Amino acid sequence: MFTSKHTLVESFGVDSEIAAFFVDRKIPDQNDYWKGRLLYVSSGTGYLFIPLWFDLQFKLGVAKDVLLSEDYVRLSEAILDSAAKHEMNKISLQEHIENCKALVIGRVKQTALYDDLLAFFSDPLLKPYKNIGTVSPALNRGDSLLFTLCLLETDMQTLNKLVRGWQALVPSFLLMDDVMDLEEDKKNGEENSIADFGKGSEGVKKALDYLADNFEFLKQYNLKLANTFAKSLVAKKETPYLQSLISNS
């Protein structure tokens, strides 16, 4: 489904130039992340997050000309291509991380973050490491995109905010989907991140608290985005389905 510039700006608080850049951008050639896709940005979580993440980086202090440079955007696209290959079981996780290393080698400005990412991904369980990762490995696999931050020339305070911003944005997207898919995933024996927050209703409640905390962080930098997320969560919480999960899971 098409996502317009107007929707990105008005509903998600995205800077108009950033919104236009990604809505108008051509799908990268021979990239498995966009395989079979006609649009660069669609309403699906895996594509909508891209302009939201770039916009959040801008709001957290990264210059727009850096963010929208072909070098930086193509690096993100290349990492997403490799991530898609891993999800398709074409390559292993470690092969994916080796690809990420090859993409940034010789250009790393943030060596501490780079080393932390290597340490984080060296653990096959993807447990949280310093300020990287959540309690759920399922929410952590996308953290390889943080390798892009290693190229930025910025201070440590801004860098830490960027990592926190990523953790507030992307896992929240995924977790909101998992909350609504919990019972179906259980029946189908599929992975669901809610289980990593705890058993039954306690896990659901902790996941909802985690989301609320993330939205509070986002409010500081993008009120429209935080409010859109919060309204969506309120609507989900009012459904009989989620009410039953909270009380009976």
Side-chain angles (χ1 to χ4, degrees), residues 110-122:
Q110 303 295 339
T111 55
L113 175 59
Y114 179 76
D115 290 341
D116 287 348
L117 285 167
L118 294 184
F120 172 69
F121 281 108
S122 69

PDB file of all heavy atoms in Angstrom, residues 110-122:
ATOM      1  N   GLN A 110      33.337   5.840  14.600  1.00  0.00           N
ATOM      2  CA  GLN A 110      32.907   5.520  15.963  1.00  0.00           C
ATOM      3  C   GLN A 110      33.380   4.110  16.317  1.00  0.00           C
ATOM      4  O   GLN A 110      32.643   3.132  16.229  1.00  0.00           O
ATOM      5  CB  GLN A 110      31.377   5.635  16.073  1.00  0.00           C
ATOM      6  CG  GLN A 110      30.816   6.988  15.691  1.00  0.00           C
ATOM      7  CD  GLN A 110      31.264   8.092  16.649  1.00  0.00           C
ATOM      8  OE1 GLN A 110      31.665   7.826  17.785  1.00  0.00           O
ATOM      9  NE2 GLN A 110      31.184   9.333  16.201  1.00  0.00           N
ATOM     10  N   THR A 111      34.642   4.027  16.722  1.00  0.00           N
ATOM     11  CA  THR A 111      35.249   2.712  16.950  1.00  0.00           C
ATOM     12  C   THR A 111      34.640   1.988  18.149  1.00  0.00           C
ATOM     13  O   THR A 111      34.532   0.758  18.142  1.00  0.00           O
ATOM     14  CB  THR A 111      36.766   2.846  17.152  1.00  0.00           C
ATOM     15  OG1 THR A 111      37.022   3.780  18.212  1.00  0.00           O
ATOM     16  CG2 THR A 111      37.436   3.332  15.880  1.00  0.00           C
ATOM     17  N   ALA A 112      34.247   2.733  19.180  1.00  0.00           N
ATOM     18  CA  ALA A 112      33.666   2.093  20.366  1.00  0.00           C
ATOM     19  C   ALA A 112      32.344   1.420  20.010  1.00  0.00           C
ATOM     20  O   ALA A 112      32.089   0.275  20.412  1.00  0.00           O
ATOM     21  CB  ALA A 112      33.464   3.119  21.476  1.00  0.00           C
ATOM     22  N   LEU A 113      31.500   2.107  19.255  1.00  0.00           N
ATOM     23  CA  LEU A 113      30.230   1.515  18.837  1.00  0.00           C
ATOM     24  C   LEU A 113      30.476   0.322  17.925  1.00  0.00           C
ATOM     25  O   LEU A 113      29.813  -0.716  18.051  1.00  0.00           O
ATOM     26  CB  LEU A 113      29.364   2.553  18.119  1.00  0.00           C
ATOM     27  CG  LEU A 113      28.041   2.026  17.530  1.00  0.00           C
ATOM     28  CD1 LEU A 113      27.159   1.427  18.616  1.00  0.00           C
ATOM     29  CD2 LEU A 113      27.304   3.137  16.784  1.00  0.00           C
ATOM     30  N   TYR A 114      31.421   0.458  17.024  1.00  0.00           N
ATOM     31  CA  TYR A 114      31.754  -0.643  16.112  1.00  0.00           C
ATOM     32  C   TYR A 114      32.168  -1.884  16.907  1.00  0.00           C
ATOM     33  O   TYR A 114      31.673  -2.988  16.654  1.00  0.00           O
ATOM     34  CB  TYR A 114      32.882  -0.201  15.184  1.00  0.00           C
ATOM     35  CG  TYR A 114      33.347  -1.260  14.206  1.00  0.00           C
ATOM     36  CD1 TYR A 114      32.592  -1.572  13.074  1.00  0.00           C
ATOM     37  CD2 TYR A 114      34.547  -1.938  14.411  1.00  0.00           C
ATOM     38  CE1 TYR A 114      33.024  -2.533  12.168  1.00  0.00           C
ATOM     39  CE2 TYR A 114      34.983  -2.899  13.512  1.00  0.00           C
ATOM     40  CZ  TYR A 114      34.220  -3.194  12.394  1.00  0.00           C
ATOM     41  OH  TYR A 114      34.644  -4.153  11.503  1.00  0.00           O
ATOM     42  N   ASP A 115      33.034  -1.695  17.885  1.00  0.00           N
ATOM     43  CA  ASP A 115      33.480  -2.823  18.711  1.00  0.00           C
ATOM     44  C   ASP A 115      32.321  -3.416  19.514  1.00  0.00           C
ATOM     45  O   ASP A 115      32.225  -4.640  19.675  1.00  0.00           O
ATOM     46  CB  ASP A 115      34.594  -2.376  19.661  1.00  0.00           C
ATOM     47  CG  ASP A 115      35.895  -2.072  18.934  1.00  0.00           C
ATOM     48  OD1 ASP A 115      36.060  -2.531  17.782  1.00  0.00           O
ATOM     49  OD2 ASP A 115      36.745  -1.367  19.518  1.00  0.00           O
ATOM     50  N   ASP A 116      31.443  -2.553  20.005  1.00  0.00           N
ATOM     51  CA  ASP A 116      30.283  -3.035  20.767  1.00  0.00           C
ATOM     52  C   ASP A 116      29.344  -3.852  19.885  1.00  0.00           C
ATOM     53  O   ASP A 116      28.786  -4.869  20.323  1.00  0.00           O
ATOM     54  CB  ASP A 116      29.518  -1.859  21.381  1.00  0.00           C
ATOM     55  CG  ASP A 116      30.249  -1.233  22.561  1.00  0.00           C
ATOM     56  OD1 ASP A 116      31.233  -1.842  23.045  1.00  0.00           O
ATOM     57  OD2 ASP A 116      29.845  -0.138  22.992  1.00  0.00           O
ATOM     58  N   LEU A 117      29.161  -3.419  18.651  1.00  0.00           N
ATOM     59  CA  LEU A 117      28.303  -4.167  17.729  1.00  0.00           C
ATOM     60  C   LEU A 117      28.900  -5.538  17.411  1.00  0.00           C
ATOM     61  O   LEU A 117      28.179  -6.539  17.350  1.00  0.00           O
ATOM     62  CB  LEU A 117      28.089  -3.371  16.438  1.00  0.00           C
ATOM     63  CG  LEU A 117      27.122  -2.192  16.545  1.00  0.00           C
ATOM     64  CD1 LEU A 117      27.225  -1.301  15.313  1.00  0.00           C
ATOM     65  CD2 LEU A 117      25.686  -2.673  16.729  1.00  0.00           C
ATOM     66  N   LEU A 118      30.206  -5.586  17.236  1.00  0.00           N
ATOM     67  CA  LEU A 118      30.854  -6.874  16.978  1.00  0.00           C
ATOM     68  C   LEU A 118      30.699  -7.801  18.179  1.00  0.00           C
ATOM     69  O   LEU A 118      30.438  -9.003  18.021  1.00  0.00           O
ATOM     70  CB  LEU A 118      32.335  -6.669  16.653  1.00  0.00           C
ATOM     71  CG  LEU A 118      32.657  -5.919  15.356  1.00  0.00           C
ATOM     72  CD1 LEU A 118      34.163  -5.896  15.128  1.00  0.00           C
ATOM     73  CD2 LEU A 118      31.946  -6.537  14.159  1.00  0.00           C
ATOM     74  N   ALA A 119      30.839  -7.244  19.380  1.00  0.00           N
ATOM     75  CA  ALA A 119      30.669  -8.049  20.592  1.00  0.00           C
ATOM     76  C   ALA A 119      29.223  -8.528  20.714  1.00  0.00           C
ATOM     77  O   ALA A 119      28.962  -9.689  21.059  1.00  0.00           O
ATOM     78  CB  ALA A 119      31.071  -7.234  21.820  1.00  0.00           C
ATOM     79  N   PHE A 120      28.289  -7.647  20.431  1.00  0.00           N
ATOM     80  CA  PHE A 120      26.867  -7.989  20.508  1.00  0.00           C
ATOM     81  C   PHE A 120      26.518  -9.124  19.552  1.00  0.00           C
ATOM     82  O   PHE A 120      25.879 -10.109  19.930  1.00  0.00           O
ATOM     83  CB  PHE A 120      26.038  -6.742  20.184  1.00  0.00           C
ATOM     84  CG  PHE A 120      24.558  -6.988  20.044  1.00  0.00           C
ATOM     85  CD1 PHE A 120      23.784  -7.319  21.138  1.00  0.00           C
ATOM     86  CD2 PHE A 120      23.942  -6.872  18.807  1.00  0.00           C
ATOM     87  CE1 PHE A 120      22.413  -7.538  21.010  1.00  0.00           C
ATOM     88  CE2 PHE A 120      22.579  -7.085  18.661  1.00  0.00           C
ATOM     89  CZ  PHE A 120      21.816  -7.421  19.769  1.00  0.00           C
ATOM     90  N   PHE A 121      26.967  -9.013  18.312  1.00  0.00           N
ATOM     91  CA  PHE A 121      26.619 -10.016  17.310  1.00  0.00           C
ATOM     92  C   PHE A 121      27.475 -11.280  17.397  1.00  0.00           C
ATOM     93  O   PHE A 121      27.186 -12.269  16.725  1.00  0.00           O
ATOM     94  CB  PHE A 121      26.695  -9.417  15.907  1.00  0.00           C
ATOM     95  CG  PHE A 121      25.504  -8.580  15.548  1.00  0.00           C
ATOM     96  CD1 PHE A 121      25.606  -7.198  15.460  1.00  0.00           C
ATOM     97  CD2 PHE A 121      24.268  -9.166  15.318  1.00  0.00           C
ATOM     98  CE1 PHE A 121      24.504  -6.424  15.142  1.00  0.00           C
ATOM     99  CE2 PHE A 121      23.161  -8.404  14.998  1.00  0.00           C
ATOM    100  CZ  PHE A 121      23.272  -7.026  14.908  1.00  0.00           C
ATOM    101  N   SER A 122      28.500 -11.258  18.232  1.00  0.00           N
ATOM    102  CA  SER A 122      29.296 -12.475  18.427  1.00  0.00           C
ATOM    103  C   SER A 122      28.551 -13.498  19.277  1.00  0.00           C
ATOM    104  O   SER A 122      28.895 -14.682  19.284  1.00  0.00           O
ATOM    105  CB  SER A 122      30.641 -12.136  19.080  1.00  0.00           C
ATOM    106  OG  SER A 122      30.456 -11.715  20.426  1.00  0.00           O
TER     107      SER A 122
END
